[in-house]
Amino acid sequence: MIRPYEVTDKDEVINLIKLNTPKYFAFEEEADLIEYLEKKRQLYYVLIFEGKLVGCGGINFTDDNTTATISWDIFHPNFHCRGLGTRMLKYRIDKLSALATIEKIVVRTTQITYKFYQKYGFELVEIKKDYWAVGFDLYHMNLAVT
């Protein structure tokens, strides 16, 4: 089940990033996630599987609402490769595709996970070495909404 994030989910979401550090996230990104959840979150969702919060991911919009950014996708390591990330991504793409103003969906990820987004049509447009932290490059990707 996918549902909107609630403030009471914060500790579980923070635990997810801890479980994925340093393999998928740099240690300093935990503070960025906390700031996002407290101040920058627009739409954020959690995925409940077998009664447990095992994943999360958000959407943010540009001021003119023509571009949406997929943000902070995190899954419990024990639930990787079960199709749950695909379910969460498709859920958000479907929501965004239904909005008449959205022309493009952006994801800013790393060299570790960009191929996941490539499978769903995102095209790589830019790479910045050590952007997130040393060893974590920015892979900026776009998906045109038709």
Side-chain angles (χ1 to χ4, degrees):
M1 172 183 76
I2 297 173
R3 66 162 172 79
Y5 169 88
E6 298 170 2
V7 176
T8 55
D9 297 324
K10 182 180 174 184
D11 289 343
E12 290 180 87
V13 169
I14 298 305
N15 187 52
L16 291 178
I17 197 170
K18 288 178 179 181
L19 293 169
N20 283 283
T21 303
K23 185 173 183 178
Y24 294 100
F25 294 94
F27 288 103
E28 51 266 40
E29 289 184 277
E30 182 179 331
D32 295 338
L33 176 59
I34 291 169
E35 181 181 6
Y36 173 84
L37 292 172
E38 293 176 353
K39 298 177 183 171
K40 297 179 180 178
R41 171 178 46 89
Q42 291 180 325
L43 298 177
Y44 204 64
Y45 301 96
V46 295
L47 191 145
I48 308 298
F49 185 74
E50 297 177 349
K52 295 179 183 175
L53 192 156
V54 300
C56 50
I59 301 171
N60 287 75
F61 299 92
T62 55
D63 289 339
D64 65 0
N65 284 324
T66 61
T67 301
T69 300
I70 297 293
S71 53
W72 289 107
D73 289 350
I74 313 169
F75 281 82
H76 191 292
N78 293 345
F79 293 87
H80 288 185
C81 301
R82 292 191 183 191
L84 300 177
T86 298
R87 184 183 297 174
M88 178 67 88
L89 181 62
K90 286 184 176 181
Y91 178 85
R92 290 174 292 160
I93 290 172
D94 289 347
K95 281 196 164 297
L96 293 169
S97 296
L99 300 176
T101 61
I102 299 297
E103 299 169 3
K104 176 174 64 172
I105 302 172
V106 170
V107 68
R108 296 169 5 126
T109 190
T110 68
Q111 71 274 20
I112 303 162
T113 56
Y114 84 97
K115 288 184 179 183
F116 169 78
Y117 297 99
Q118 235 175 13
K119 288 191 303 188
Y120 299 99
F122 284 86
E123 295 181 4
L124 183 61
V125 294
E126 178 183 29
I127 298 172
K128 288 186 180 178
K129 182 115 177 96
D130 296 330
Y131 180 85
W132 306 109
V134 174
F136 291 89
D137 304 340
L138 165 67
Y139 275 57
H140 183 138
M141 305 177 81
N142 293 340
L143 175 69
V145 177
T146 54

